[in-house]
Amino acid sequence: QVQLVESGGGLVHPGGSLTLACAASGSISSIWNMGWYRQAPRKQRELVAAITNISDGSTKYADSVKDRFTISRDHARNTVYLQMNSLKPEDTAVYYCNAVTVRGITSNNYWGQGTQVTVSS
């Protein structure tokens, strides 16, 4: 089991910045990848950014956030961050942390509780 706790959401003006944090606990060693998803009202949940391989640090970003958002990981704190710059109103959504664990042939998907990000003037 892996537990994920997000923090850092809030209200920000367009062009502003926010940093989200996701602290992982539990079976940390089984985590294969971690990422951030978001879900806006009346829209499907979508991938924002991910560390697709925890071992080598490979990353992946949605086209809409490339060059504005940066995902990173603090190994010592078992925490993944999402640095969001040049925020736009369309970035408004609930942001969810995700972790995928792999043990043998079994994989599991874990989600945090979500944190609201609102970009508005």
Side-chain angles (χ1 to χ4, degrees):
Q1 293 279 342
V2 171
Q3 295 78 42
L4 304 172
V5 178
E6 301 119 331
S7 60
L11 172 65
V12 63
H13 293 306
S17 298
L18 275 178
T19 300
L20 306 182
C22 173
S25 61
S27 300
I28 303 297
S29 61
S30 63
I31 293 176
W32 182 255
N33 64 54
M34 290 186 71
W36 289 93
Y37 288 71
R38 67 186 181 188
Q39 188 165 18
R42 298 173 296 282
K43 290 189 176 181
Q44 287 191 332
R45 192 172 296 190
E46 62 175 0
L47 174 70
V48 177
I51 300 175
T52 55
N53 186 318
I54 288 293
S55 297
D56 66 20
S58 304
T59 57
K60 177 180 180 180
Y61 293 91
D63 288 341
S64 59
V65 306
K66 278 181 183 176
D67 301 324
R68 298 190 298 124
F69 291 11
T70 302
I71 189 169
S72 62
R73 185 185 183 203
D74 184 330
H75 288 262
R77 292 184 168 84
N78 295 318
T79 300
V80 170
Y81 299 96
L82 184 67
Q83 173 67 43
M84 304 184 292
N85 299 324
S86 303
L87 282 160
K88 305 175 181 179
E90 50 264 43
D91 294 317
T92 295
V94 178
Y95 284 68
Y96 296 92
C97 181
N98 171 263
V100 176
T101 61
V102 175
R103 281 192 169 180
I105 61 171
T106 302
S107 67
N108 288 287
N109 217 5
Y110 296 92
W111 295 93
Q113 80 283 0
T115 185
Q116 177 71 46
V117 171
T118 303
V119 185
S120 175
S121 53

